[in-house]
Amino acid sequence: MAVLALKPRSRVIFALLLAMVSVSRATLDAHYYDQTCPQAEKIILQTVQNATRHDPKVPARLLRMFFHDCFIRGCDASLLLDSTPGNQAEKDGPPNISVRAFYVIDDAKAKLEMACPHTVSCADIIAIAARDVVTMAGGPSWNVLKGRKDGRVSNASETINLPAPTFNVTQLLQSFAERGLGLKDLVALSGGHTLGFSHCSSFDARLRNFSSTHDIDPTLNHAFAQLLKNECPKPNRNRNAGQFLDATSSTFDNDYYRRLVAGEGVFGSDQALYSDYRTRWIVNLFAQDQSLFFSEFAASMVRLGNVGVRENGEVRIKCRAVN
Ligand SMILES: *[C@@H]1O[C@H](CO)[C@@H](O)[C@H](O)[C@H]1NC(C)=O
Ligand SMILES: *[C@@H]1O[C@H](CO)[C@@H](O)[C@H](O)[C@H]1NC(C)=O
Ligand SMILES: *[C@@H]1O[C@H](CO)[C@@H](O)[C@H](O)[C@H]1NC(C)=O
Ligand SMILES: *[C@@H]1O[C@H](CO)[C@@H](O)[C@H](O)[C@H]1NC(C)=O
Ligand SMILES: *[C@@H]1O[C@H](CO)[C@@H](O)[C@H](O)[C@H]1NC(C)=O
């Protein structure tokens, strides 16, 4: 309850409270490829930049790819494995995760195999690409720790363990805690939605027949709810219909948090961060102070990148298949 009394901008207390976040057990290294593949990051950056020039949705997709990969089996590139006759892989699991842009990773991997064969893991490529898209979109930069190995298992049934867009803060915190991530990580990493787009199916339950007492989710701003209803009529012939998750969808900024304060969070799990006292104060801090959001986002991305890291495993030659 102490957090309730905190005034916004009390950065020192904020930092102290949140210093107790997860302890990483991985021994990743920012200089991991300095000797073996010094050009690795440059090759990945150029590939990501080129892909983004051809498709502006690439940044949001690569950022999402990193979250999804790390949340299931840790950051081991299990999400990249294709299904095989005996095995349905994560990428084909429910919910039909709109993680695309796998070709960008394949492209970077092919170039890396030419430059330094059998050296750079697919898991590290995703982590580097996720940092690059954030920086390219105007967000922070940070040193990506490297040295992850790639996993050999990908199981479609495990994707049900991803946090759902309908989760409340209790459920979100539990899901993050299972991965060694804390309260601040939850709020900061949710800010990745600053680059996101959602199809109607992930939020339209908030717009009609929401509960026995409310037709529309009462945490949703009324005018914004009308806008979403117009975007997502029922029935809807446009299968691509949906909504950007903040007002500046190709810029990495703190507008996401300002939308939450205004009751314009698209997912129930976004708006819940503002409705729940445990996270509201952090939303307010980030809404008011973009540089604080940037530094906390970068720190949380490093922690996310440590989730379930494997130091024994393989470096795949092709990211879609085990060696
Ligand atoms: C740039 O991206 C496009 C679209 O993905 C691809 O066709 C092309 O080969 C890429 N060029 C380079 C130099 O990577
Ligand atoms: C998921 O969606 C993609 C693209 O819409 C489609 O090709 C694929 O078959 C779907 N997979 C499943 C398991 O529904
Ligand atoms: C995938 O996970 C399910 C549920 O845990 C399990 O029953 C199944 O055997 C797993 N499949 C593989 C190929 O490991
Ligand atoms: C969160 O959702 C769970 C599952 O629906 C429910 O049991 C719990 O009471 C909810 N907690 C809050 C704080 O709303
Ligand atoms: C709303 O939900 C109730 C109870 O589940 C159902 O009977 C009713 O048909 C629904 N209304 C609409 C417009 O979907």
Side-chain angles (χ1 to χ4, degrees):
M1 289 291 162
V3 288
L4 267 179
L6 277 179
K7 292 281 184 291
R9 295 198 178 265
S10 42
R11 276 187 184 229
V12 176
I13 299 171
F14 176 80
L16 285 175
L17 268 175
L18 298 171
M20 30 186 185
V21 289
S22 68
V23 184
S24 138
R25 56 194 172 71
T27 55
L28 299 175
D29 183 354
H31 300 286
Y32 191 80
Y33 297 116
D34 279 6
Q35 305 301 319
T36 53
C37 196
Q39 66 275 56
E41 298 209 13
K42 192 174 166 203
I43 290 174
I44 295 166
L45 175 62
Q46 286 173 346
T47 308
V48 169
Q49 283 174 331
N50 174 52
T52 302
R53 271 195 295 275
H54 289 80
D55 178 1
K57 290 182 182 149
V58 161
R61 288 177 170 168
L62 291 177
L63 184 53
R64 208 165 136 75
M65 186 185 289
F66 182 57
F67 292 131
H68 282 225
D69 182 42
C70 293
F71 261 71
I72 306 295
R73 295 191 162 265
C75 312
D76 71 341
S78 53
L79 178 59
L80 301 184
L81 289 172
D82 279 343
S83 293
T84 58
N87 184 59
Q88 193 176 9
E90 281 171 34
K91 59 167 66 154
D92 296 319
N96 197 350
I97 47 181
S98 56
V99 176
R100 300 200 189 101
F102 293 112
Y103 71 91
V104 182
I105 305 296
D106 293 339
D107 195 6
K109 180 63 174 173
K111 291 178 180 140
L112 287 165
E113 284 301 306
M114 281 196 277
C116 13
H118 306 185
T119 303
V120 182
S121 68
C122 299
D124 282 345
I125 299 175
I126 304 177
I128 293 165
R131 187 272 318 274
D132 289 345
V133 295
V134 168
T135 310
M136 280 165 50
S141 188
W142 60 93
N143 287 323
V144 177
L145 304 182
K146 296 163 290 272
R148 298 170 189 78
K149 292 290 188 282
D150 298 325
R152 295 178 54 85
V153 175
S154 180
N155 187 332
S157 66
E158 292 173 358
T159 57
I160 61 164
N161 296 318
L162 289 166
T166 52
F167 272 13
N168 63 33
V169 168
T170 301
Q171 295 168 301
L172 291 167
L173 282 173
Q174 161 120 34
S175 174
F176 275 63
E178 284 164 5
R179 283 130 182 122
L181 299 169
L183 184 70
K184 195 264 332 215
D185 299 308
L186 165 63
V187 182
L189 293 172
S190 296
H193 284 167
T194 181
L195 294 182
F197 176 86
S198 170
H199 291 109
C200 295
S201 59
S202 296
F203 60 84
D204 61 7
R206 305 180 70 201
L207 306 176
R208 294 172 190 88
N209 229 3
F210 176 70
S211 68
S212 55
T213 47
H214 291 96
D215 189 43
I216 295 178
D217 183 341
T219 64
L220 201 49
N221 170 292
H222 191 72
F224 189 65
Q226 294 307 317
L227 184 149
L228 294 181
K229 276 177 105 160
N230 293 340
E231 296 288 333
C232 301
K234 282 237 163 195
N236 189 353
R237 280 202 208 116
N238 178 5
R239 302 181 74 225
N240 296 321
Q243 176 65 32
F244 290 104
L245 301 181
D246 82 2
T248 54
S249 64
S250 58
T251 306
F252 193 98
D253 59 15
N254 68 342
D255 187 60
Y256 168 80
Y257 300 100
R258 291 196 243 116
R259 296 300 111 217
L260 300 189
V261 173
E264 297 178 5
V266 176
F267 295 148
S269 58
D270 292 324
Q271 198 57 49
L273 300 177
Y274 192 68
S275 305
D276 192 301
Y277 76 90
R278 289 170 291 180
T279 42
R280 176 191 293 216
W281 64 286
I282 309 178
V283 171
N284 277 323
L285 285 174
F286 290 167
Q288 289 161 15
D289 187 341
Q290 177 161 278
S291 64
L292 176 64
F293 164 51
F294 278 12
S295 60
E296 295 298 339
F297 182 82
S300 289
M301 285 290 275
V302 172
R303 278 193 287 276
L304 176 62
N306 282 332
V307 172
V309 159
R310 32 178 78 238
E311 292 164 78
N312 321 306
E314 59 187 29
V315 171
R316 276 181 222 148
I317 294 167
K318 289 200 164 167
C319 293
R320 291 174 181 272
V322 298
N323 291 344

